Amino acid sequence: MVSYRNILLAAGLSIVLAGPALAQEDFITVASTTSTEQSGLFDHILPIFEEATGVEVRVIAQGTGQALDTGRRGDADVVFVHAKAAEEEFVAEGYGVERIEVMYNDYVVVGPQSDPAGIGGSSDVVAAFTDIAESESAFASRGDDSGTHKAELALWQAAGIEPSGSWYRETGSGMGPTLNTAAQMPAYALADRGTWISFQNRGDLEVLVEGDDRLFNQYGVILVNPERHEHVKAEEGQAFIDWLVSEEGQEAIGSYQLNGQQLFYPNAK
C-alpha cells in the first residue's frame, strides 16, 4: 500500500501543479457528513481547492455510516467522515486505501434552559446522560448511524443504559433537523460543535455539558480503493486528500469562523 500511495501522491501533486488549465472538466464525488456540509465548512474550503486545481468537488452529505456505505458501493471517490472505528473497519475490509486524520472539534450536550435533568455545568458527560435517563427528560437522538449517533450510543453504553421509552426520540435525520426537533420539544441532544455554532433556530437551547475528553470529535479522510472499484478517480481524489493535509488546506480549515468562533481545528497526521 505504501508504494501505491506514493504513486497516487505523485499523480495528485501533478494535478495540483497543473492547475485549472489542465483539469477544468474534472470532478470528484465526496461522501461526507452532514456536519461538514451544514456547518458551512465546505462552502469555505472547496472554492479554494477548486481554484487551485480545477477539480470540482461534488458533495453527498450523509451520516457517517451512510457515507461509508456509499464508498463501499463505489458511489464516491473519497469519504470524509468522523467515526474512527468505522473508518478503520472500512479500510481493513479493503474498501479504502488509507485513513488520514484531517481536523477535529468536539461534541456538546445542549438542552433547554430549564434543564429538567439538572446537568448544566457538568464536565462528566456520562453522568449527565445517566441523569437524563433517570429523570426521563426528553432527548432527541439522530438515530441515523452517523458519527454523532455512534458517539451518542457509545456514551449510553458507558453509562450502562439502553435508551428507550417516550422520552427518547430518534429523528432519523441530520444534525440540523435533529437540533430543530430538540428546540421544538424542547429536549436534550448531542451535537457537534461546528453545526451548533452555525445553527440559528436554537429556541431556548443552550450548551449545558462540554469539556469532557470523551466528547473529542476527530475527522478522517479516505480514498475509496480503486482496486475494488476501478472507476474511482484515484488521482483527483488523492489530490483532494493531499490538499486537505497540505499547509494551504490546513490553513483554510483553521481559518473558518462563524460569529468569531473557530469551528474546526486542523491536525493532519
Side-chain angles (χ1 to χ4, degrees):
M1 181 164 64
V2 173
S3 61
Y4 179 62
R5 172 166 165 70
N6 287 340
I7 293 171
L8 288 174
L9 177 61
L13 287 174
S14 70
I15 291 176
V16 172
L17 294 174
L22 296 182
Q24 289 179 350
E25 302 304 318
D26 289 334
F27 73 91
I28 58 170
T29 301
V30 175
S32 190
T33 74
T34 61
S35 61
T36 49
E37 192 260 347
Q38 292 176 357
S39 66
L41 177 69
F42 279 143
D43 288 338
H44 175 72
I45 68 172
L46 293 187
I48 302 172
F49 169 74
E50 291 171 356
E51 182 177 359
T53 65
V55 178
E56 178 188 354
V57 178
R58 301 178 183 178
V59 176
I60 303 173
Q62 305 171 295
T64 286
Q66 292 174 307
L68 290 170
D69 284 342
T70 296
R72 285 187 176 93
R73 294 191 303 270
D75 292 335
D77 305 297
V78 173
V79 292
F80 188 2
V81 291
H82 63 139
K84 183 176 180 179
E87 296 164 45
E88 290 176 337
E89 181 180 4
F90 179 81
V91 173
E93 292 172 343
Y95 291 104
V97 173
E98 180 183 6
R99 176 185 180 272
I100 301 173
E101 294 185 352
V102 176
M103 63 186 189
Y104 71 94
N105 61 10
D106 64 345
Y107 295 109
V108 294
V109 180
V110 302
Q113 294 176 11
S114 59
D115 191 16
I119 65 171
S122 173
S123 59
D124 186 332
V125 66
V126 172
F129 269 45
T130 300
D131 290 340
I132 291 170
E134 289 181 349
S135 63
E136 296 191 351
S137 300
F139 188 97
S141 168
R142 285 185 57 168
D144 64 348
D145 196 34
S146 61
T148 303
H149 184 222
K150 291 176 185 293
E152 178 215 317
L153 292 179
L155 293 171
W156 288 123
Q157 184 176 24
I161 294 168
E162 187 171 340
S164 62
S166 59
W167 62 274
Y168 187 72
R169 175 78 63 83
E170 291 186 292
T171 68
S173 58
M175 193 72 260
T178 298
L179 285 171
N180 275 323
T181 297
Q184 292 165 8
M185 290 179 68
Y188 295 100
L190 182 72
D192 70 277
R193 194 181 292 273
T195 305
W196 172 252
I197 290 173
S198 63
F199 184 64
Q200 300 297 318
N201 185 32
R202 296 182 178 183
D204 73 342
L205 295 182
E206 58 184 25
V207 174
L208 296 173
V209 180
E210 58 185 332
D212 191 317
D213 289 344
R214 290 168 290 193
L215 293 172
F216 180 73
N217 182 28
Q218 176 72 53
Y219 289 78
V221 65
I222 306 169
L223 178 71
V224 175
N225 192 348
E227 294 181 359
R228 183 64 67 98
H229 298 289
E230 62 181 17
H231 60 274
V232 165
K233 297 177 180 177
E235 294 183 7
E236 294 88 345
Q238 189 64 49
F240 177 60
I241 292 171
D242 293 338
W243 182 85
L244 285 174
V245 301
S246 71
E247 182 177 351
E248 182 182 14
Q250 293 281 281
E251 182 179 348
I253 290 167
S255 67
Y256 179 51
Q257 295 189 355
L258 285 177
N259 305 318
Q261 299 179 76
Q262 186 169 344
L263 280 73
F264 300 92
Y265 295 84
N267 71 331
K269 294 182 180 179

